[in-house]
Amino acid sequence: MKKRLFSALTVLALAFTLVGCNISTPSAVGKIGDVEISSGMYLLCQYQAYSKAQSAASSQSTASSSDTSSSSAASSAASGSASAASSEAAASSVDYSSMSAKKFLGQTITVTEDDGTVKDWLVSDYVASETLKNLQYYAAVKTRFAALGGELTEDEISTADSNAQSIWDNNSKLYAKNGFNLATIKEYEYAMTMADDLLTLVYGASGETPVSDADLTDYAENDLLYVYYASVPLYNTTSYSVDADKSAAALQACQAAIDEYSELAAGSGSASKVYDNFYTALGNHLPDAYTALGNTYTSDTLSVSSEFLTDSTLSGYYSDAQTEQLKALAVGEATLIDSSYSCELFVRDDPLASQTLDDIRDTVLADMKGDELKSSLDAYGAETLTNSLDSAAMKKLPASRIVLSLPSSSAA
């Protein structure tokens, strides 16, 4: 099944909140290239930019708090330094998320850009810049999709409509309050589907710049991270209590499973037995992990799943250190990750050992060419398409009117 590859228009799920205003608004704010930008799409892209700024501010606050704490002993050696540390700590404790949009837009935040550079931004300028980038990307997706003869299938349209309806039903009162309608959510879903399809239109066998099966195979076997994994709770699933000693015993049992797998793998001499050896080792030791925590283990408890760990998956669920740990696995190697409340056990396998290239073609293309396609679309939107946005119309949709939530009594 094709996986959703791009979500470049959003940093947060649409199931949260969106923005709008309660005054008369223009139906559109101009064009980028030949793509008309509706006021709804402008508001959506502006919200995503605002959310990204909030995320950067939160990360900045967390980092500042950590730095201040680690240097507090040295700072207290002199009264002047102690005073400075106190001021810095106060600044780092600012809760940006509780600020009104108008107040937050007047703050200065430090942002790590996509290329790794660090820059200070006035939030209002950052939101305006990121909003434009999002709109340019959206216009580039639609323009390139049309130019390459793309056409959404009935199934794709139906799926997008269904997703949009579900999103709308989840927060219809919030969207209605903010003047955000179902049609915009559908248009957003269509654009994301087009972005997915562009991988094939550009890099597929009949695409603009096709990637050969030989190159796809090489990438799948040597670069794509395909794993089998199982998860073990490190708490009592009945009382939800956490006991450090019991968790340590459960982790020891998990490590024993990894160790036994390594012994079986070394002795089997067959790469085709990766799953079998992993399943056997888990079955021999996970009962001990469950027992240590007072949890019930039956023959149905053991569940081994398979997944492609793409960059987006890794960045969304694992720390940088954990990501490096997983990426360092060679085919046939196993490891575990202690995530405080669970222990996850992984073994890497060759995805083509049990699947054909056609089975995983979309996934391989996404991992191999996804970043390249995103960068090319960003550049196309910014450098090739003419910006004909109407500044007067956009001023009627200011970011200062962003609404993050409704009162609980009216949110349902």
Side-chain angles (χ1 to χ4, degrees):
M1 183 177 74
K2 179 179 286 188
K3 297 176 69 176
R4 172 50 50 78
L5 306 175
F6 294 109
S7 191
L9 299 180
T10 181
V11 235
L12 297 180
L14 282 173
F16 293 123
T17 63
L18 295 172
V19 352
C21 54
N22 296 319
I23 63 172
S24 176
T25 60
S27 61
V29 296
K31 293 183 176 182
I32 296 180
D34 293 327
V35 177
E36 184 174 70
I37 305 299
S38 69
S39 61
M41 189 57 65
Y42 176 82
L43 289 170
L44 172 57
C45 289
Q46 182 176 245
Y47 178 77
Q48 308 312 326
Y50 183 93
S51 298
K52 190 173 181 180
Q54 279 277 356
S55 179
S58 176
S59 298
Q60 166 188 300
S61 179
T62 300
S64 296
S65 297
S66 176
D67 292 343
T68 300
S69 176
S70 63
S71 62
S72 59
S75 297
S76 63
S79 60
S81 296
S83 177
S86 177
S87 298
E88 186 178 340
S92 69
S93 64
V94 173
D95 182 5
Y96 291 102
S97 63
S98 67
M99 290 182 180
S100 67
K102 184 175 182 180
K103 183 176 181 180
F104 179 59
L105 291 167
Q107 305 298 305
T108 297
I109 59 174
T110 301
V111 177
T112 301
E113 308 287 354
D114 292 338
D115 61 3
T117 60
V118 178
K119 181 178 178 180
D120 288 337
W121 281 89
L122 180 65
V123 172
S124 58
D125 290 341
Y126 181 75
V127 170
S129 175
E130 290 298 313
T131 299
L132 179 59
K133 288 180 182 178
N134 290 344
L135 292 170
Q136 288 169 333
Y137 176 82
Y138 165 74
V141 167
K142 296 197 70 173
T143 302
R144 290 283 285 140
F145 186 77
L148 293 174
E151 186 174 348
L152 295 180
T153 66
E154 290 185 4
D155 284 345
E156 286 177 326
I157 293 172
S158 177
T159 298
D161 286 345
S162 177
N163 290 341
Q165 187 66 58
S166 177
I167 291 166
W168 172 259
D169 290 343
N170 268 341
N171 278 295
S172 58
K173 288 188 177 181
L174 178 65
Y175 304 148
K177 175 72 174 178
N178 289 325
F180 197 91
N181 60 33
L182 178 60
T184 299
I185 300 175
K186 285 186 177 182
E187 180 58 33
Y188 170 81
E189 288 292 315
Y190 298 154
M192 284 209 299
T193 305
M194 291 176 189
D196 290 345
D197 289 352
L198 276 171
L199 273 170
T200 300
L201 291 172
V202 176
Y203 303 111
S206 301
E208 187 178 50
T209 54
V211 178
S212 70
D213 281 4
D215 287 342
L216 287 173
T217 298
D218 180 73
Y219 188 88
E221 292 178 337
N222 297 298
D223 296 280
L224 196 60
L225 189 54
Y226 177 70
V227 298
Y228 297 113
Y229 69 95
S231 181
V232 177
L234 295 180
Y235 59 91
N236 184 283
T237 56
T238 299
S239 66
Y240 299 101
S241 62
V242 177
D243 182 286
D245 290 338
K246 293 178 180 179
S247 294
L251 277 172
Q252 187 175 14
C254 291
Q255 184 59 55
I258 295 296
D259 293 341
E260 180 174 331
Y261 164 79
S262 298
E263 293 174 2
L264 291 172
S268 67
S270 173
S272 65
K273 292 186 177 181
V274 168
Y275 177 87
D276 292 341
N277 289 337
F278 191 57
Y279 193 91
T280 296
L282 295 181
N284 288 339
H285 295 279
L286 292 199
D288 293 338
Y290 276 74
T291 300
L293 292 156
N295 294 325
T296 301
Y297 183 94
T298 69
S299 58
D300 296 327
T301 301
L302 179 55
S303 175
V304 179
S305 303
S306 61
E307 185 174 355
F308 290 97
L309 297 182
T310 63
D311 285 341
S312 61
T313 302
L314 291 168
S315 63
Y317 292 95
Y318 301 102
S319 67
D320 290 344
Q322 291 170 339
T323 294
E324 290 305 311
Q325 178 182 343
L326 291 168
K327 284 188 171 183
L329 288 175
V331 170
E333 286 187 338
T335 191
L336 65 78
I337 287 178
D338 174 8
S339 298
S340 296
Y341 292 104
S342 68
C343 176
E344 296 176 82
L345 302 92
F346 299 87
V347 62
R348 183 178 181 181
D349 197 9
D350 176 0
L352 293 175
S354 58
Q355 303 168 96
T356 68
L357 182 60
D358 284 339
D359 290 334
I360 62 172
R361 186 179 297 274
D362 289 336
T363 302
V364 181
L365 272 179
D367 203 67
M368 183 179 185
K369 291 293 187 178
D371 289 343
E372 181 180 314
L373 178 59
K374 173 63 169 58
S375 295
S376 71
L377 289 168
D378 285 338
Y380 187 80
E383 300 168 10
T384 301
L385 299 181
T386 302
N387 181 348
S388 302
L389 294 174
D390 183 345
S391 59
M394 290 188 292
K395 285 181 180 178
K396 295 180 180 179
L397 305 170
S400 60
R401 292 198 180 105
I402 289 177
V403 177
L404 292 179
S405 63
L406 292 177
S408 56
S409 59
S410 60

